[in-house]
Structure formats: C-alpha cells, structure tokens
Amino acid sequence: MDNRAHDLGPAIFATVCAVVGVMMFDSPVVRTIAGLPLVFYLPGHAIFCAAGRPRRGPLEVAVFTVGLSIAVTVFCGLALNLFGPLTPLRWAVALAAITLGAYWRAHRLARDHRPLPKVPLRLPALSRPRALMLVVSIVIAVAATTWSRFDALAYREFAFTELWMVPETRGGAVTVGIRNAERAPASYDLELVIDNHIVSVRRGIDLKVGEKWLSEFAWPTRDGKAHAAEARLFKRGNESVVYRRVWLRREAEGARS
Amino acid sequence: MLATPEIGRHLDDGAHEALWRRYTGIVVNLARSFLGIGAPIEAPDAGRARASWGWIPALSLNAAVSLVLIALALSPVDIAGAPKTVLFCAGIFLLFFPLVTRIVWPSTSRFEQIGLLLVAVAALYTLKLLTSPFGFAGFDEFLHWATADDILVRQRLFTPNALLPISPLYPGLEIVATAVVNVTGLPLFASAFVLMAVSRFVFIAALFLFFEAITRSSRLAAIACVIYMGNASFPIFHISFSYESLAIAFLVLAFLAASRVRARATDHWGRGLVLAAPFLAALAVTHHLTAFIASFMLALMTAIAYFGRLPRKDCVALAALTATSAFFAWGWLQIIGNPVTEYLAPNLQGAVADFIHLVTTWSPARKPFVSTDGSLSPLWQRMTMLVAMLLICLGLTMGFFRALHLAGVAIERRTGRIPIAVRWTNDWLVLLILVATAFPITVIFRLTASAWEIGNRLGPHVYMGVAPVVAIAIVGAWQGRSTNPWRAMAVGAALTITLAGGIFTAWGGPIELPRRYKVIADQLSIEPMGIEAAKWTKDWLGTDHRFVSDRINRLLLSTYGQQEVVTLLHDQVDTSWLLFGDRLGPEQLNALKQASVDYLFIDMRMTQALPRLGVYFESGEDPRLHDTPPESRNLLKFNKVPQVSRPFDNGYIVLYDVAPLVRSLRNGQ
C-alpha cells in the first residue's frame, strides 16, 4: 500500500466502529455516538475522497462533506425501499457499504499515485478564559431551553377532568376511567346507569392531580338486544350538576349485520 | 452705460439658466452619489485581518444571556415586573445588535465572521425551541411528522398522508430523519432536531461561501448572510421540520458547487457538475417548488452566461447543469405520477386572479398586519416590520447600481443595427441582481388572499438576490470602511431592525405575551390538553380509526394519536357542515357514509372565537362557516342520535363514536 493512502485508515476504522456500534449495541448513547457520523459525515467524506478530494478550504470541505452525506442518505433510502423494508439493520449495512465502497475507490486512487490533497485545518489559539466563556454560554443556552420546556409543561392553561367509557374488546364489560387534570386534588362521585336504571354509585373517588381511576362494570351484551350504558360524574361540592357524561349505545344483534 | 430693459432680461435669463444648471447639477450629483451610479466600491476586504476568535466567546455569552431573557418573556407564567413583550424585544435587540455590529466592522477576520454567523444561527435555532417547548409545533412540522411516522411504522416509503398527500411523494426529509431514528435509536423528535440543526449550519455556511465566491469578499458575504436571516421564513419556518428547510440547503449547496468552478481556475466545469448533481437530485426528491426554482435560476444563469459572452464551453457546461436539474425535477415528477399540478395549480390560478385584481383596483384583499380573525398587531410591532421593509427597500435602491458596478456591467457603444451593447464580468452577481428585482412582486403577493403563501414561499429565494445587493449598499455607502463606532452602531441597529422585522413577521400575528390558547392558530392552539386527548384515542381505541375533526386536532390525532383523519384534500369529502350544521340532514349523513367515519373529535373551544388563521378545517371550506363561531348545540347535536356513543368527555373535547351509524347507513337502514 502506498503511504499516501494511509490517511484513509482512521476514516475506515471509524466507519467499521460506527457500524459495529449501531448493530451490536442497544445503548442509545453508544448508538447515537456511532450512528450520527454514519448518517451525517462518513458517507460524504468517503465520496469526497473518492472524487479525488478537490482542493478547497476546510469550511468548504466540511459543508460539502455533510451535504453529500445527507444527499447519499436520501438515495440510500430510495434504493432500500426498492428491495425491502427500511429496518435499522438494513440502514446500517447500506450506509456502511456505500462508505466503505467509496473509501476503497479513494484507496485505489491514492495507490495509483494521485495523492489526496490535505485539508489545511488550523484553528486560531483559544485562551482558557475565552474557552470557558464558550462553555458557559452553551451551558446557559441549554439550561434556558430545558427550563423553558419544563416551565411550559408544568403550566396548565386548561384545568379539566377526563371521563371515559369504553367497551372491553370481548364484550361483557365496560371500562370507566377518570383522570384528574385539574389544578388541585379533587373528589368525585360516579353514577353508572344501564338501560335507564342506576346500577352502581361510587362516592368519594379522591384523585390527586394527574392521578387516574379505572373500574370495570358488567354490561349485558349476549342477549342480542339494544343496550345503553351511561356514566355520570359529579364533582364534590357541586353534586347537583353533572360534571361529565359519557355513554355507550349497543345496537340490537340484527341491526349490526 | 445703462442696460436697456431687454438686455437686463437677457442677463436675467442667463443667470436663471446658470442657476438652474447649477441646481440641476447638484441634484443630479446627489442622486448619482445616493444611487452609486458609477461609484466603485472600495475594496471591501482591504487588508484581511489575521484569523482570531475575536469577540466570538464574549458575544456567545451575550447571546446566551439574551436567550434567558427571551425564555423568561416566553414563559407562560405571569411574572411581576416589566411587560413580557418589552422583555422579549429587549432580548432580541440584546441578542443581535452586538453580533451584527461586530460582523459589519471592517477589520473583523473571516474566521470571526463565520463564527459569529454560526452563533446567530444557533441563537435563532434556540429561539425556535423556546417558542415550541412541547416538541413539534408548526403546522408543517405535524404534516411531515405524520409522513415520517408512517415510514417508521410501516418500514416503507410512499404511504398516504391525508393531511398533505404530496408529502410522502417528496420524502427526502423524512428519509433522512427516519434514517437517524433507525441508526441511532433516538426518538423522531430528537432525530428531526439534530437533522434540522445540521441542515441550518450547513445552509448558512454554504450561503456564506456562495456569496463569498460571487462577491470575492468575506465581509460582503457575512453581511449578506445577516440580511438573509431577516427574511420572514428564516427564523421559524426554515428551522422547522419541513421539506423546504432541507431543500433550500440542497439548492444552496448545488449553487455553491457550480459557482466555485469559475471562481477557481484550477477546477474544471466537469467536476463542478459532478459535485452539483447529487444535490440537485436530492433536491428533486425533497421539494417540488424549490426544485423548479433551482431549474429556473440555472436556466436564467445559462442565458446570462450566453449573453455575457462567457466562453462557449462554460455556457455548454451551465446548460448541461440546467438540463440535469430540469431532468431530475421533471423525471421525479413523472415517476410519482405528477400530483404537483393538481396541488399547485389552484393556488397559482388564485394567485394570478388576485394579483390582477390588486393591480387593477388597488384594493388589497389582505390587510397588512391584520390576522384573518381581525386581530391587529400592536403599533410597535407594525412599525418594526414596516421600518425593516423600508430599510430593505432603501438598501436595494442604494445597492442596485453599486452591485451592477461590482458585477462589471458596462454599456458600450457600437456600430451596427443595435447601437449599444451591455457587457458584464460577474455572471452570478448579475443573476442575483435580477433575482432581487422580484422583491416587489413578493411584497405585492403578500397583499393578496390566495397568493400570500406563494409570496411567502418565494421570499427566501428572492432574498438570495436581495441580501447581496443590500450588503453592497452597506459596504459601499452606509458604512464603507469607516471605523467610526457610532456609524457601525447605526448600521448594526438598522440590521437588527431588519432581523427583528423578520422574526415579528414570522410570528404570524400580534405578539401577545404570555402566550395563551387561540382558536385555530396553529402553534398557539397546540397545548397539553389537546395532546393528551389525542394520545387517549391511541391508548384506548387503538390506531388507524377514521376521525373527523378541526385543523388543529387533525394534526394531533394523526401524530400523537396515530389515527387516520378525513380531509377534503385527500378524501374529497367536505365534513365541515357535519360538525357545524344545526341538524343531521342528508348532506351530513352522506358525508359520514362517503368518508367512512368512525369517530368525531369535537373541540368545544371553537365556539369561543373565529379562527385566527381564517379556516376551521382547511382552505377551500365554505366561507359561511366564518360568519360567526359555531353554536354549542350544533356541535353537540349527536347527543340525540340513538346509534351514536359518546365514549370520552373532558369538558372541552367530546368524542362521538359514529361507526354503528355509518354501518347502518351502508346497510341502507
């Protein structure tokens, strides 16, 4: 191997590590560290090298490398779709194959005495206080974004209580659910009415904010007749008003066919 | 000797003529100097400064502190002290004013200019995150989320999307986002976040390099990038998870590849073509309109090169690039069965009709600064947007001739049938100047009812021309090479106003802080209660049921709820009167049957106000729906229908199960 091809070694090694990281590990951290370069950097870098790495400045090389990687991912997705499902394994194999194939071509170029030009990358010196400033600004920006998200999630413009009633998939019962999304803990009374008869009353269902209450009730379904089940929710302190109301109506057997 | 009255009159005439000539001369000279006719621009990059970090760290810290102020202003919790809008504006000013003042400074190094541009982009990206803390928030983001989610669930492309049927047919964005999900295991939102961040940085760096290659000045390029950031699409729309955001990055990369070829004598056209081709191909499968615009701009460039007497082989190469671009755009259109004509034609027809109406009657169908529900932006917001536009117009006026001069445009006399000939030396700059002349058209489009969206979509492309022309005005006239700090600050303030104007326009209505729920206002209507109700449908009813709902809840249902939603665009069934009608008549029953509806998801908050965005469901709906908000009793008319169940109620959102009713309708009962 020509010495000039040796600068591809780290890139090929990185590609192999990325593929192994994506395919062999379940940890999201490992997969993220391995997977992001496989989508956003390595394919473009390999193709850029295979094209003889035209002489350009470092910013231009970086821009074209990332841009080409994204473009290659688009083509790769279209091609994969022709041959089967877009699964994680197939994605990893396809991106790795393209990258390693392009590096192979770049290696052949280098072997044929067409040296790849070096990209001059020289960052100006950064003093310690200035580096600290940069780090602090990133920390502040991330903290502001995170705080803003939690602040927005914690704030509830609408205070509400969810009431629902759904039939069990195999029939014979209904599930009634209550969820308290008010601004304070609340106490509820629940009335269950089947075919205009009150069949059950649950009093004093105390729920904290965000807490859920579920219960199942029997519901006659096997007689082939039409039935209606209704759940009425009352909020403690205002028992004269129905706070929420849900119902299910089941058709007679003949009407359903 | 005494002058006779006649001689005196002659003398007076002569003096008047001289005076007239003198004043005319002064006015002409002032006009020439103002417009910069024939004025050479002093070398914008005279004495390139040594690369250094300069003010990057300090201004990054300043940006971070400004973002904290903005985060406080955007917090939904009421806080004591200054009004939140003041805090927000102060944050925006504090964020951009020092950044842009430093960028326009003549001795700033190229390294620092690039670094500051990246800081500005990062700050704008963070601003977008601060405005959408729940994840995806923009209307278009939900449309593409639905497509990406389908790809992840079904592991294949081109699955139908009722919200935006054309989206799965241009899957470039979703392919990359789902590739990141598949390879890294990150959730879709995190993957989209990374993709859009990478795409934004690549875009601004490519734009800088493109402008630099054309103007041969990093200072002009950096200022042009700042001006570009002032276009209304940049701060929010082009950062969102939308196919245009990625497409415009591909467009700039393709143009950069093509433009660098001539900038470097050592390169060959062939290599530029090879480098530009993958970006044009990726563009063709990512966004239709951007792909067509790229082809059009390349065709224009070919014509400019031809008439500019570029060497024959260069013209052929450019023509080949244009043909490649058109081939990809047209070829993909044919492969997917050309749904674009159907999608864009009604908009274009409406746009042309509205444009003609506006030009002939001078009565704008869409009032500037007024939302469709009639809410008017506050005076300070209107003034900022207006001044921003006036500054851009001033920059265009003062930069136009200076830009022509920089492009080497010259008029020559010659013998022959046509007595004059126009020559130029910088073809790409001539292209951008021509593109900039379309700016007034996009402004006029924004005053129409049908074409405002087209004006909005054309804006970022037209700004590719506007930005360098205004930058040339700044470097050639507003600031020049002056190192007077007051002058630099004045220019910085002007650029900050253009950036703030862009952000305020992108806001899409009055800036009211703290932000509160509004009826059908996209981002302002997305809140936890609606999200939880949509998630409830997935948890308790399962996925892929057919739902009828309003514009906002359709988005939540198809993404958080993974349901199928009925739309006029996809199903060709208008379900608006199904919900808003006062009775369940034949029209409503027919809509239920035609659309095979399973559930109605009714948001009672619609009764509170008219829709801020002008539609309750989607464009093309019956205008009578917008006379008054719907009546509660109309929305709740299904309470009385025997075959309809009501399985969910949270006080604001009610769900009706109409599947048994639809079944009986199908059975003819």
Side-chain angles (χ1 to χ4, degrees), chain B residues 47-62:
Chain B
R48 178 169 284 186
R50 199 164 57 86
S52 76
W53 287 87
W55 284 74
I56 295 173
L59 291 177
S60 301
L61 195 57
N62 172 71

Side-chain angles (χ1 to χ4, degrees), chain A residues 31 149 151 179 247 249 257, chain B residues 75 133 182 532 641 667:
Chain A
R31 283 184 65 189
R149 180 171 163 74
D151 188 44
R179 193 172 76 89
W247 60 79
R249 285 166 183 158
S257 54
Chain B
S75 165
N182 275 304
E532 282 163 21
V641 182
N667 293 340

Side-chain angles (χ1 to χ4, degrees), chain B residues 127-144:
Chain B
L127 177 65
K128 157 77 172 70
L129 291 177
L130 293 176
T131 57
S132 48
F134 301 118
F136 294 117
F139 183 75
D140 287 51
E141 288 186 311
F142 279 92
L143 308 182
H144 294 286

Side-chain angles (χ1 to χ4, degrees), chain B residues 19 25 40 62 144-145 190 212 234 256 295 340 391 401 447 455 535:
Chain B
L19 204 63
N62 172 71
H144 294 286
W145 176 11
E212 190 186 39
F234 191 88
L256 173 64
S295 301
V340 177
L391 283 169
F401 288 102
L447 297 174
K535 281 181 178 170

Side-chain angles (χ1 to χ4, degrees), chain B residues 206-535:
Chain B
L207 192 69
F208 171 84
L209 291 167
F210 176 58
F211 287 151
E212 190 186 39
I214 290 170
T215 61
R216 298 181 188 93
S217 157
S218 67
R219 185 172 171 227
L220 271 175
I223 296 172
C225 284
V226 171
I227 294 157
Y228 187 89
M229 286 182 203
N231 91 67
S233 293
F234 191 88
I236 292 178
F237 185 64
H238 274 181
I239 297 177
S240 63
F241 183 59
S242 159
Y243 51 5
E244 266 180 300
S245 313
L246 186 61
I248 199 155
F250 284 139
L251 179 137
V252 173
L253 282 165
F255 279 19
L256 173 64
S259 69
R260 292 300 270 179
V261 174
R262 291 216 63 219
R264 288 170 178 271
T266 51
D267 268 337
H268 303 293
W269 265 110
R271 190 172 280 179
L273 272 174
V274 169
L275 194 53
F279 298 122
L280 291 171
L283 173 60
V285 294
T286 302
H287 188 235
H288 39 85
L289 196 59
T290 312
F292 302 147
I293 288 173
S295 301
F296 174 74
M297 284 171 81
L298 283 172
L300 198 58
M301 179 63 199
T302 309
I304 290 167
Y306 176 76
F307 289 112
R309 289 155 183 81
L310 204 67
R312 190 180 174 79
K313 67 172 180 131
D314 293 347
C315 285
V316 170
L318 264 173
L321 196 62
T322 307
T324 308
S325 172
F327 172 75
F328 286 139
W330 180 83
W332 185 251
L333 201 65
Q334 297 311 309
I335 289 171
I336 60 174
N338 191 10
V340 177
T341 314
E342 196 184 329
Y343 175 64
L344 291 179
N347 285 326
L348 288 172
Q349 282 168 357
V352 172
D354 275 8
F355 186 77
I356 291 167
H357 177 261
L358 178 68
V359 170
T360 50
T361 64
W362 288 107
S363 55
R366 199 166 167 266
K367 289 181 188 167
F369 315 122
V370 180
S371 301
T372 33
D373 68 341
S375 48
L376 178 70
S377 300
L379 184 65
W380 59 267
Q381 190 183 344
R382 279 180 277 157
M383 287 306 294
T384 311
M385 293 191 281
L386 201 63
V387 172
M389 176 161 290
L390 289 176
L391 283 169
I392 292 295
C393 292
L394 181 68
L396 284 173
T397 313
M398 293 178 74
F400 183 75
F401 288 102
R402 288 180 171 88
L404 286 177
H405 195 273
L406 192 67
V409 176
I411 298 171
E412 294 172 354
R413 286 171 192 275
R414 67 177 190 184
T415 53
R417 204 152 47 93
I418 303 168
I420 56 165
V422 183
R423 289 183 181 279
W424 53 85
T425 53
N426 190 333
D427 306 305
W428 280 98
L429 189 53
V430 171
L431 171 75
L432 295 187
I433 294 166
L434 282 180
V435 169
T437 57
F439 179 69
I441 297 170
T442 62
V443 176
I444 294 170
F445 271 175
R446 281 164 192 257
L447 297 174
T448 66
S450 309
W452 73 269
E453 200 167 353
I454 293 178
N456 220 18
R457 300 294 163 102
L458 288 178
H461 304 287
V462 171
Y463 254 75
M464 283 178 70
V466 169
V469 173
V470 177
I472 287 166
I474 289 171
V475 172
W478 295 11
Q479 191 183 16
R481 290 184 56 207
S482 165
T483 50
N484 182 335
W486 294 106
R487 199 164 168 177
M489 280 197 269
V491 175
L495 284 179
T496 306
I497 290 171
T498 61
L499 281 169
I503 292 170
F504 293 172
T505 311
W507 200 268
I511 298 177
E512 297 155 332
L513 298 173
R515 292 185 300 165
R516 294 287 179 253
Y517 174 86
K518 296 279 181 303
V519 174
I520 316 291
D522 285 359
Q523 201 152 329
L524 291 178
S525 310
I526 309 285
E527 48 71 52
M529 186 177 73
I531 293 171
E532 282 163 21
K535 281 181 178 170

